[in-house]
Amino acid sequence: MHAVRRPPSPAQLRAFVAVAEHLHFRDAAAAIGMSQPALSGAVSALETSLGVTLLERTTRKVLLSPAGERLVVRARAVLEEMEALMEEAEAVRAPFTGTLRLGVIPTVAPYLLPTVLHLVHERYPHLDLQVHEEQTAGLLDGLHTGRLELLLLAVPLGVPGVRELPLFDEDFVLVTPLGHELGGRQGIAREALRELNLLLLDEGHCLRDQALDICREAGRGDAPVTTTAAGLSTLVQLVAGGLGCTLLPRTAVTVETSRSPRLLTGSFAAPAPARRIALAMRTGAARGAEYEELAGALRRALRPLPVRVLGGDDQGLPIGQMSVEQEDLSPSAEQLPSAGGRSQIPRWTGRPD
């Protein structure tokens, strides 16, 4: 039977490479901060471990043996890879470095990503943020399989193994075609939804489910849906064309209603129907502390938007209120257009941090 040899240690490899470079024990020992006897012992132990003679020693000089000339190349490569391993581990330990794969739902991405990307660029320049836009079911699958690490979406999810970090609540706004009796009105009762021809997103969008829940709470039955759209932009253009009305989250209003002069918005009476947006991560995620810090930074960055920013705990206690400009998102009666006139959709005028 062959004797089981112990693998070389990093110290043995460093000693061998140092001797190979200096061809002198004293100089090699000084170069790596090791005593000469310890260096000699490390090289001898390496030769025993490998079962080959690496050096030819004489009283006057040290030479590499043929085996030593071949193996020193490998030894250098091993030490370089070990150094790279240590550097990579140090980089992993450093917060907000490396890759972060963020999943975002389509009814959030166009309206919040500018704020998210600006924050990451300015505050976390060494973070490689990769964004994936998908519906909720696909995002949760990606989180569970490890394809995604962090999600930005509507909650509550009620999914085991997923922790939510609430960011903000935002009200829904009623979007109507020009000339509609509810266009531009404030304090609209939820019960008004019972009689509206409400246009919805396709199945699979959480915003569709939220809109249907709001209608049920208002006492509306499950009326058949005859027209749907794959995205909010198409949905709003259908409203502008007179096919019905729809519900938009406040963060989407400025972007989506600015494309047509044939739209009006109306706000609901308090408490208005709303949705909650949060970050979501795997429970016990290795980078959980980083995600919590990111959530806090996002809450501060989102304050200029027409939302109610939430506290850091899972209960989402309000820590900020919407400004006058944020609350007065819909046109007043004086802002409504005359016949043939252009509708005036107020813009959000907050300034970023």
Side-chain angles (χ1 to χ4, degrees):
M1 290 181 60
H2 295 288
V4 178
R5 296 192 177 97
R6 299 180 60 183
S9 70
Q12 293 170 356
L13 293 176
R14 278 193 289 270
F16 170 46
V17 170
V19 173
E21 289 175 352
H22 294 276
L23 296 178
H24 196 288
F25 277 91
R26 185 178 61 232
D27 293 345
I32 62 174
M34 183 182 288
S35 69
Q36 188 171 335
L39 179 87
S40 180
V43 174
S44 296
L46 179 61
E47 289 177 318
T48 300
S49 176
L50 297 177
V52 297
T53 300
L54 300 173
L55 303 175
E56 295 179 1
R57 304 166 177 83
T58 69
T59 57
R60 302 182 60 182
K61 59 183 178 180
V62 176
L63 297 175
L64 286 174
S65 69
E69 291 179 354
R70 290 179 58 182
L71 294 179
V72 72
V73 176
R74 296 275 187 169
R76 287 194 182 99
V78 170
L79 291 174
E80 288 171 1
E81 287 299 319
M82 290 183 63
E83 182 65 24
L85 174 66
M86 297 301 295
E87 291 176 358
E88 186 69 18
E90 183 177 353
V92 169
R93 290 196 302 270
F96 298 104
T97 58
T99 300
L100 174 57
R101 295 181 292 271
L102 173 69
V104 191
I105 56 175
T107 58
V108 163
Y111 322 113
L112 296 190
L113 279 181
T115 300
V116 173
L117 296 178
H118 178 75
L119 172 67
V120 170
H121 177 74
E122 293 295 323
R123 185 161 182 170
Y124 311 114
H126 301 295
L127 184 64
D128 177 19
L129 182 65
Q130 299 178 1
V131 178
H132 302 264
E133 184 185 46
E134 301 176 31
Q135 293 181 8
T136 301
L139 295 182
L140 288 173
D141 178 72
L143 189 67
H144 285 305
T145 61
R147 178 172 56 86
L148 299 172
E149 296 159 319
L150 192 64
L151 308 181
L152 179 58
L153 73 178
V155 296
L157 298 169
V159 177
V162 176
R163 182 183 173 197
E164 301 168 6
L165 304 175
L167 298 176
F168 65 84
D169 290 342
E170 63 174 330
D171 292 341
F172 283 103
V173 173
L174 181 66
V175 181
T176 73
L178 195 64
H180 193 281
E181 62 179 350
L182 295 179
R185 289 181 52 180
Q186 299 185 35
I188 299 171
R190 294 195 192 197
E191 288 72 20
L193 294 171
R194 296 174 183 173
E195 307 302 326
L196 292 180
N197 180 23
L198 201 63
L199 305 180
L200 301 174
L201 290 173
D202 291 337
E203 292 186 8
H205 288 277
C206 61
L207 190 60
R208 173 193 174 95
D209 298 331
Q210 291 160 357
L212 289 174
D213 287 342
I214 292 169
C215 290
R216 294 187 190 101
E217 291 171 3
R220 175 173 175 158
D222 293 329
V225 177
T226 58
T227 302
T228 62
L232 289 182
S233 296
T234 301
L235 199 63
V236 170
Q237 293 310 309
L238 293 175
V239 173
L243 292 186
C245 303
T246 196
L247 297 174
L248 279 187
R250 279 186 178 265
T251 52
V253 170
T254 298
V255 172
E256 299 302 343
T257 61
S258 63
R259 300 188 176 109
S260 174
R262 304 192 60 79
L263 294 166
L264 293 173
T265 61
S267 60
F268 290 94
R275 70 173 181 175
R276 175 162 293 182
I277 301 300
L279 291 177
M281 64 178 182
R282 288 183 294 274
T283 301
R287 302 174 73 179
E290 291 179 49
Y291 301 155
E292 291 181 10
E293 181 180 334
L294 178 60
L298 267 176
R299 293 184 191 105
R300 292 187 290 273
L302 291 167
R303 283 175 181 162
L305 299 184
V307 300
R308 292 184 295 278
V309 176
L310 302 174
D313 59 18
D314 289 343
Q315 300 301 314
L317 300 177
I319 60 173
Q321 299 295 326
M322 289 190 294
S323 66
V324 173
E325 292 91 344
Q326 290 173 306
E327 294 173 347
D328 190 20
L329 185 62
S330 301
S332 64
E334 292 77 9
Q335 291 174 307
L336 295 178
S338 59
R342 182 181 180 88
S343 64
Q344 299 296 314
I345 305 295
R347 312 285 190 209
W348 166 237
T349 57
R351 296 177 61 189
D353 289 343

